[in-house]
């Protein structure tokens, strides 16, 4: 998770034109309302998965309405953003860098 911090610019991987999803990191931490798969799934369903074993998610406010939420999942708010501009992804799907916000000129290229 090197470099992944709140307020940093990032893109969501895989990301290739014309579907580049970029935005600003708004949240880092466990999101118990997102179901997990694999080991620990049974414990999560029984609400017995300790917080330190819950997977870490990165909440990103996207520049464009290409997301799945408004910063909330399962009725729990993790950050504020407009509808369809929020997305939660695993840290390995995040690339941090100097990615300027998409502008109108980018659409013309």
């Amino acid at each position: 998770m090197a470099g992944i911090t709140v307020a940093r610019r990032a893109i969501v991987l895989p990301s290739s034109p014309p579907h580049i999803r970029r935005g600003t990191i708004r949240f880092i931490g466990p999101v118990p309302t997102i179901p997990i798969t694999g080991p620990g799934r049974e414990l999560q369903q029984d609400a017995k998965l300790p917080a330190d074993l819950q997977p870490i998610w990165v909440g990103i406010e996207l520049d464009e309405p290409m997301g799945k939420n408004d910063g909330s999942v399962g009725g729990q708010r993790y950050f504020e953003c407009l509808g369809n501009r929020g997305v939660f992804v695993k840290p390995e799907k995040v690339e941090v860098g100097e990615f300027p916000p998409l502008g109108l000129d980018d659409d013309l290229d």
Side-chain angles (χ1 to χ4, degrees), residues 22 63-65 85 100-109:
R22 64 174 86 172
D63 294 343
E64 297 183 295
R85 294 211 181 217
L102 293 172
L104 293 175
D105 294 339
D106 294 328
D107 294 336
L108 299 176
D109 292 339

Side-chain angles (χ1 to χ4, degrees), residues 14-62:
S15 201
S16 58
H19 302 290
I20 297 175
R21 295 189 298 165
R22 64 174 86 172
T24 304
I25 298 171
R26 299 292 185 208
F27 173 85
I28 303 166
V31 181
T33 53
I34 297 177
I36 61 172
T37 59
R41 187 171 119 188
E42 296 81 19
L43 289 174
Q44 184 192 39
Q45 290 172 346
D46 295 336
K48 296 178 184 173
L49 188 63
D52 61 331
L53 295 180
Q54 293 179 12
I56 299 298
W57 294 91
V58 179
I60 299 177
E61 178 182 4
L62 299 173

Side-chain angles (χ1 to χ4, degrees), residues 26-27 59-61 70-72 77-81 86-88:
R26 299 292 185 208
F27 173 85
I60 299 177
E61 178 182 4
D70 63 354
S72 64
R77 176 146 317 273
Y78 296 92
F79 64 94
E80 296 278 341
C81 71
V87 66
F88 290 88

